[in-house]
Amino acid sequence: MITIPAISSDSARQFMREAARDAGIPENQMRLVLEPEAAALYCQQKTVVDDNRLPVGFKYVLADLGGGTSDICVHEVMEDGKLREVYRATGEIAGGTDVDDEFLSFLKELVDEKKKQSLPAKIKESKYADKMEYLPIEARLNIHCDLMKLFFKPSIDSIVNLVNEILKECAGDIDTLLLVGGYSESSYLMDRIKSEFSNMTVVLVEDARLAVLNGAVMMGWKPKNIIQRRSRFTYGFAVNEPFIEGKHPESRKCIVDGQAWCYLLFKKMIEKGQIVEYGQTFRFKGYNTAREPEEKHEERYTLLWRSTRENPQYCIEEGCSMVGEIVKKPPPEGWPDYWRSDTHLIVGETEFTVKDFNHTTGQEYKAQMNFL
């Protein structure tokens, strides 16, 4: 079980999988899981709200606040212990190490080597002179509470802003915020969160810093479709269709064998925000031609595209990018003049698999999408 932050890109996820494989972990013994999802599964087993376990239909925000990242997800408890995303898992590069960075920056500024002064003199000239003091006998620097809070401010502000943005997008009765991760155990952070979200029930989950670890172990024993997710992008295949005057732009027009085609249309399979789950398959039926001799032994390609838009029409639009391909080699005798094919987009736990079936030649092609 390899956990990854919610903000990990498709290429980062593939990199993790390939790195694990190169380290000797067999593909069939490896699972990538999103950290907030692992934490959510743990919370479902451990969390009590109003003296009750989380019931079916209960919705909550879960904030996994770790060292480097803060991952936020919104889930609804379903039947059979399954979870459904109300809002897609997202996050920020904001966590406990940001507090360290702010503190180190403060120290570097305070003891700047360019200033040839004693530490007490540097403190006296500092803009924070009234918020700290140096005790020479004990060789100790005392930092007042107000200054310490400033080290926490950037990361906590980022977390608060992210949660507020998500809550605005989630209509409905969500009044519970669950906190997990090592950073969530900071008493000052907890006070700030409770103050900022005073209208919500804020719960620090038991053994918060171990929530992801324990949840990942639990997920190893659960069905892979335990969580229904919302797609982060719109996904589809690049296809060519007969050109229709007045509907398709002239810039996309291509003449093949005397036939006018519109090429690189975005054939949508999954829409951004759509609920998907492990094993779900989306199918596209198409047909292909290779009438000319020079086409008989050319490689063909199945291209998977994604878009930040909900309904892209063409693959060249802003927000669209190609994320994978299947290279299809012709049979020894060459492609037939005409053949039918089925292309399947199959949802994995964190990645997609694409299969292409040639019903005329019987060939089958399969590939996990290469996002690197």
Side-chain angles (χ1 to χ4, degrees):
M1 305 301 292
I2 301 175
T3 66
I4 53 178
I7 61 173
S8 292
S9 63
D10 292 327
S11 59
R13 298 178 190 195
Q14 182 182 338
F15 177 83
M16 288 294 291
R17 181 178 293 280
E18 292 188 4
R21 187 169 57 241
D22 291 346
I25 302 176
E27 187 76 28
N28 63 354
Q29 296 180 24
M30 178 200 322
R31 284 176 64 181
L32 297 186
V33 296
L34 297 181
E35 290 172 359
E37 292 184 353
L41 196 64
Y42 174 78
C43 291
Q44 191 181 22
Q45 305 294 323
K46 289 288 186 180
T47 304
V48 174
V49 177
D50 296 333
D51 297 324
N52 294 301
R53 295 288 179 192
L54 305 184
V56 173
F58 185 82
K59 299 177 183 179
Y60 59 86
V61 179
L62 183 142
D64 175 17
L65 312 179
T69 62
S70 293
D71 292 334
I72 315 292
C73 61
V74 185
H75 284 154
E76 178 181 0
V77 180
M78 309 298 289
E79 297 283 352
D80 301 323
K82 291 186 176 183
L83 297 173
R84 172 183 290 172
E85 278 189 339
V86 177
Y87 185 88
R88 60 183 175 80
T90 186
E92 290 277 359
I93 301 177
T97 55
D98 285 8
V99 182
D100 300 338
D101 293 340
E102 290 293 322
F103 179 63
L104 290 174
S105 295
F106 158 76
L107 288 180
K108 288 178 181 178
E109 182 180 346
L110 179 63
V111 297
D112 186 354
E113 293 181 356
K114 296 178 182 178
K115 301 175 183 179
K116 303 300 182 181
Q117 298 171 308
S118 65
L119 184 57
K122 291 178 180 179
I123 291 175
K124 187 176 181 180
E125 290 186 358
S126 170
K127 59 183 176 181
Y128 301 119
D130 61 335
K131 293 181 172 61
M132 58 181 166
E133 58 185 344
Y134 180 67
L135 306 180
I137 297 178
E138 296 92 340
R140 185 175 69 196
L141 178 66
N142 282 353
I143 298 177
H144 295 186
C145 180
D146 289 345
L147 178 53
M148 288 298 298
K149 290 178 180 179
L150 292 179
F151 305 147
F152 285 79
K153 189 177 187 305
S155 59
I156 295 180
D157 285 351
S158 294
I159 294 166
V160 169
N161 291 337
L162 182 59
V163 173
N164 276 324
E165 288 174 11
I166 292 173
L167 289 174
K168 288 178 183 177
E169 296 289 331
C170 298
D173 51 344
I174 302 176
D175 59 5
T176 301
L177 174 58
L178 306 180
L179 301 182
V180 299
Y183 191 27
S184 67
E185 295 181 349
S186 161
S187 58
Y188 175 61
L189 180 144
M190 175 62 79
D191 290 342
R192 273 287 310 274
I193 295 294
K194 286 184 175 180
S195 174
E196 295 285 349
F197 301 100
S198 57
N199 60 332
M200 300 183 72
T201 300
V202 180
V203 179
L204 178 62
V205 177
E206 179 184 346
D207 291 331
R209 69 179 59 198
L210 298 177
V212 171
L213 173 65
N214 289 332
V217 174
M218 290 178 178
M219 289 188 80
W221 296 97
K222 296 287 185 180
K224 292 185 178 181
N225 65 348
I226 190 70
I227 295 178
Q228 300 174 349
R229 301 183 181 90
R230 292 188 181 273
S231 178
R232 296 196 297 170
F233 300 96
T234 296
Y235 289 92
F237 296 113
V239 302
N240 302 328
E241 292 183 354
F243 189 88
I244 301 176
E245 296 289 346
K247 176 183 177 182
H248 297 140
E250 287 292 325
S251 60
R252 305 256 54 83
K253 190 175 185 178
C254 180
I255 306 298
V256 180
D257 295 334
Q259 168 76 48
W261 295 87
C262 183
Y263 65 98
L264 284 181
L265 276 80
F266 194 110
K267 186 66 176 179
K268 182 172 68 174
M269 296 285 105
I270 300 172
E271 186 172 298
K272 182 179 179 179
Q274 179 178 339
I275 291 288
V276 295
E277 65 180 7
Y278 176 84
Q280 194 170 358
T281 300
F282 299 86
R283 297 174 174 85
F284 167 67
K285 293 183 180 292
Y287 63 92
N288 306 266
T289 60
R291 295 190 180 94
E292 299 297 326
E294 63 270 17
E295 298 175 329
K296 294 294 185 179
H297 294 278
E298 291 180 343
E299 292 180 343
R300 295 295 180 101
Y301 302 90
T302 295
L303 307 179
L304 179 67
W305 288 70
R306 76 180 184 196
S307 175
T308 56
R309 301 179 177 183
E310 293 181 353
N311 292 293
Q313 301 300 307
Y314 303 95
C315 297
I316 59 167
E317 294 178 13
E318 183 180 354
C320 294
S321 58
M322 193 183 80
V323 293
E325 66 178 5
I326 293 180
V327 180
K328 297 176 286 188
K329 297 185 180 299
E333 67 277 10
W335 299 113
D337 290 348
Y338 168 89
W339 69 95
R340 293 182 301 108
S341 63
D342 276 356
T343 305
H344 295 179
L345 179 61
I346 305 168
V347 179
E349 280 194 284
T350 57
E351 299 148 303
F352 289 113
T353 298
V354 173
K355 291 184 179 180
D356 189 277
F357 302 91
N358 186 322
H359 292 294
T360 303
T361 66
Q363 290 171 293
E364 176 181 332
Y365 306 88
K366 174 184 176 181
Q368 280 191 316
M369 291 296 92
N370 185 356
F371 297 109
L372 293 177

